[in-house]
Amino acid sequence: MRLELDKLRLHFGNLFEAALLQEITQVGNYMEVPEGYALMRPGGYIRSVPIILSGLVKISRSDADGKEALLYYLGGLDSCAMSLTCCLSKQQSEITAITEEKTKLILIPVEKVGDWMSQFPTWKQFVFATYQKRFEDLLGAIDQIAFRKLDERLLNLLKIKSKQCNCTIFYVTHEELANELATSREVISRLLKQLEKMGEVKLSRNKIELVGKHKS
DNA sequence: ACATTAATTGTGT
DNA sequence: ACACAATTAATGT
């Protein structure tokens, strides 16, 4: 599928210089993937760097037993810091990337990523900026895992979700939440019921609603 | 509309 | 963490 310069300009018009936009249309590979598509699995090799145009991608790290821990989400105009490092050092992936919505993205071949770093100042800025963003997310994740209690982590996860969809109702199962927090489903069920009693959430099958004063 | 089945959630140990 | 009960949603007839 080919890229249209005009559409790119809409997204990146004031971020990248014209010559770089041109280059992206030349070598970039446009894709649309459905919800639930595995963009990357641990052990896979990275052949290109994704730039997310729209949609949502969950990046998680999984250990040997298949336990997963949420690292961060990739949304509009984000790129993946992991794949940036991996491709520069030609390493295998250590993470899993799965789309949570229908997602539109551009794949940039690895060679270009390096070339552009020296050629285009705005590209370099972009790369550094995504590093910084991801790094902040990761620090947040570490903080959560190391210092917060599980109930705080759960509530926090729910708040993150509400930001992403700009609404207070999500359709998730307890088990999915448990996976993101690397716990068991029962624990989540019990915590959720506590939160319900405290009036923070409303529960029903496949659905959780955040109630009360949760500002974005 | 009803019965059957599958998936999600609740609870005790 | 496991086993099982209870509940709810999805599907077929």
Side-chain angles (χ1 to χ4, degrees):
Chain A
M1 216 176 251
R2 74 176 186 291
L3 283 166
E4 290 173 37
L5 195 53
D6 300 343
K7 297 209 170 174
L8 264 192
R9 216 175 255 124
L10 272 180
H11 288 298
F12 297 109
N14 37 23
L15 200 56
F16 292 154
E17 60 241 60
L20 178 51
L21 289 175
Q22 189 67 252
E23 281 268 334
I24 293 177
T25 59
Q26 300 293 321
V27 303
N29 207 330
Y30 178 74
M31 289 184 64
E32 286 188 28
V33 297
E35 174 184 343
Y37 182 85
L39 287 171
M40 182 49 65
R41 298 203 159 283
Y45 284 92
I46 314 245
R47 311 185 331 272
S48 47
V49 173
I51 297 176
I52 314 300
L53 294 182
S54 66
L56 191 62
V57 182
K58 182 173 79 178
I59 308 297
S60 55
R61 169 158 192 128
S62 38
D63 71 5
D65 315 330
K67 295 258 182 206
E68 286 194 1
L70 172 72
L71 291 184
Y72 50 75
Y73 284 98
L74 246 42
L77 300 200
D78 282 329
S79 186
C80 179
M82 287 299 165
S83 61
L84 286 169
T85 45
C86 285
C87 78
L88 291 179
S89 53
K90 304 206 162 122
Q91 294 277 305
Q92 286 174 277
S93 164
E94 315 230 298
I95 52 93
T96 308
I98 294 179
T99 56
E100 293 230 313
E101 297 172 1
K102 187 176 176 223
T103 297
K104 300 175 181 178
L105 53 89
I106 303 176
L107 292 176
I108 308 290
V110 282
E111 320 86 55
K112 294 298 172 182
V113 173
D115 295 351
W116 292 351
M117 285 279 266
S118 43
Q119 268 181 272
F120 299 107
T122 56
W123 176 255
K124 191 159 56 175
Q125 272 179 254
F126 175 71
V127 170
F128 279 131
T130 81
Y131 264 120
Q132 193 186 339
K133 248 196 273 177
R134 294 309 134 226
F135 195 72
E136 282 165 11
D137 285 351
L138 284 181
L139 276 185
I142 289 172
D143 188 55
Q144 294 272 317
I145 293 168
F147 303 120
R148 303 289 171 89
K149 297 187 180 196
L150 198 54
D151 56 341
E152 294 178 49
R153 287 209 274 151
L154 176 57
L155 196 54
N156 196 54
L157 178 60
L158 294 176
K159 284 180 185 170
I160 289 175
K161 285 189 178 298
S162 82
K163 266 188 194 167
Q164 279 163 0
C165 66
N166 277 324
C167 62
T168 54
I169 300 180
F170 342 105
Y171 293 84
V172 284
T173 69
H174 298 180
E175 189 158 31
E176 289 175 300
L177 292 174
N179 283 335
E180 298 201 343
L181 295 178
T183 347
S184 64
R185 199 265 314 158
E186 295 94 308
V187 172
I188 296 297
S189 287
R190 288 175 166 133
L191 284 176
L192 279 173
K193 222 170 47 167
Q194 290 298 314
L195 290 177
E196 188 179 36
K197 280 189 178 166
M198 299 196 289
E200 301 275 359
V201 295
K202 245 176 93 182
L203 301 177
S204 40
R205 191 186 218 248
N206 275 318
K207 178 175 132 188
I208 297 175
E209 179 177 0
L210 261 184
V211 311
K213 26 47 189 175
H214 296 289
K215 288 162 202 168
S216 60

